[in-house]
Amino acid sequence: GAGVSQSPRYKVTKRGQDVALRCDPISGHVSLYWYRQALGQGPEFLTYFNYEAQQDKSGLPNDRFSAERPEGSISTLTIQRTEQRDSAMYRCASSLETGSHPYNEQFFGPGTRLTVL
Amino acid sequence: AQSVAQPEDQVNVAEGNPLTVKCTYSVSGNPYLFWYVQYPNRGLQFLLKYITGDNLVKGSYGFEAEFNKSQTSFHLKKPSALVSDSALYFCAVRDIGDYKLSFGAGTTVTVRA
């Protein structure tokens, strides 16, 4: 079956522009996560959705970052007034079970490489 | 708080030799532990996990990992490495009752022919 998909795969933008990154999770997956991965580092948690409810946004760096999942499926991560320090790989993951379920296994998409000039 | 350490940035082995990628973790409770592999221009692929039970966990592509509670380690192993195993490997931990994965910085594995 289809895995997690993300679009665009690559995004180059100028400082100060807004960007929207899309995640399409595996069909039927309840939970959706966003992570950010800097070069040479592992992914770091940004935010978590259980169905359409944003349960945790503690990892979002500041109020320029926001995310939504209005119908409990596709999610959008929006970065307003982008800065060069926002350049990174943004990864989305989904899981079948509610986040804290013991057998919750997160499946990752290919990521969006964001470059802010 | 939970965290993972992968003490080696790089591991180099010859094809056919055993491969070990080290991982130690820190959690407040009992851990759920995971290994993921990242190939160039592709997403993170799940390899294996430890939730409970047998300390030796077998996963995809002939990989296995051993959970050692006293040493807080979860090292990834493969008895006979292949050139195609060359990739970036991430260890991750999740505390019981939590949903966030905390990842190590990754270990680049190079298997030479």
Side-chain angles (χ1 to χ4, degrees), chain A residues 65-77:
Chain A
F65 287 72
S66 63
E68 63 175 8
R69 192 187 185 198
E71 297 179 2
S73 179
I74 293 169
S75 176
T76 303
L77 177 70

Side-chain angles (χ1 to χ4, degrees), chain A residues 41-111:
Chain A
Q41 299 295 321
E44 292 185 344
F45 171 82
L46 293 177
T47 187
Y48 160 60
F49 289 86
N50 184 29
Y51 294 99
E52 71 281 359
Q54 189 173 22
Q55 304 259 310
D56 185 343
K57 55 182 181 178
S58 64
L60 296 177
N62 52 60
D63 60 9
R64 295 187 296 106
F65 287 72
S66 63
E68 63 175 8
R69 192 187 185 198
E71 297 179 2
S73 179
I74 293 169
S75 176
T76 303
L77 177 70
T78 301
I79 309 173
Q80 295 179 312
R81 305 181 303 281
T82 53
E83 301 178 4
Q84 288 185 330
R85 59 179 172 157
D86 300 334
S87 297
M89 176 73 81
Y90 289 82
R91 296 195 185 275
C92 173
S94 70
S95 64
L96 181 61
E97 302 287 352
T98 302
S100 60
H101 189 283
Y103 291 92
N104 174 21
E105 187 176 300
Q106 296 181 27
F107 295 88
F108 283 80

Side-chain angles (χ1 to χ4, degrees), chain A residues 9-10 33 35 37 40-43 45 48 55-56 58 91 99-110, chain B residues 32 34 36 38 41-46 49 51-52 88 90 94 96-106:
Chain A
R9 293 290 307 277
Y10 302 91
Y33 314 78
Y35 291 82
Q37 185 176 3
Q41 299 295 321
F45 171 82
Y48 160 60
Q55 304 259 310
D56 185 343
S58 64
R91 296 195 185 275
S100 60
H101 189 283
Y103 291 92
N104 174 21
E105 187 176 300
Q106 296 181 27
F107 295 88
F108 283 80
Chain B
Y32 298 144
F34 305 82
Y36 286 83
Q38 181 180 330
N41 299 318
R42 296 177 68 178
L44 293 169
Q45 294 181 31
F46 169 78
K49 65 186 175 188
I51 303 298
T52 187
L88 180 56
F90 289 99
R94 181 164 68 87
I96 285 181
D98 202 348
Y99 40 78
K100 300 177 234 189
L101 285 174
S102 293
F103 285 85

Side-chain angles (χ1 to χ4, degrees), chain B residues 1-108:
Chain B
Q2 55 195 40
S3 64
V4 168
Q6 293 181 243
E8 300 161 315
D9 291 336
Q10 292 195 355
V11 170
N12 299 305
V13 298
E15 189 173 34
N17 282 1
L19 169 63
T20 299
V21 186
K22 296 180 181 177
C23 170
T24 59
Y25 66 89
S26 173
V27 295
S28 56
N30 290 322
Y32 298 144
L33 293 154
F34 305 82
W35 275 101
Y36 286 83
V37 60
Q38 181 180 330
Y39 297 101
N41 299 318
R42 296 177 68 178
L44 293 169
Q45 294 181 31
F46 169 78
L47 272 181
L48 51 77
K49 65 186 175 188
Y50 171 82
I51 303 298
T52 187
D54 195 345
N55 289 343
L56 184 64
V57 177
K58 293 188 183 297
S60 307
Y61 313 119
F63 283 94
E64 58 188 29
E66 186 165 11
F67 171 63
N68 187 317
K69 188 172 184 178
S70 63
Q71 296 185 4
T72 61
S73 67
F74 188 57
H75 301 330
L76 181 70
K77 300 181 181 182
K78 186 171 183 180
S80 179
L82 301 172
V83 172
S84 57
D85 294 329
S86 299
L88 180 56
Y89 291 79
F90 289 99
C91 181
V93 68
R94 181 164 68 87
D95 205 346
I96 285 181
D98 202 348
Y99 40 78
K100 300 177 234 189
L101 285 174
S102 293
F103 285 85
T107 299
T108 299

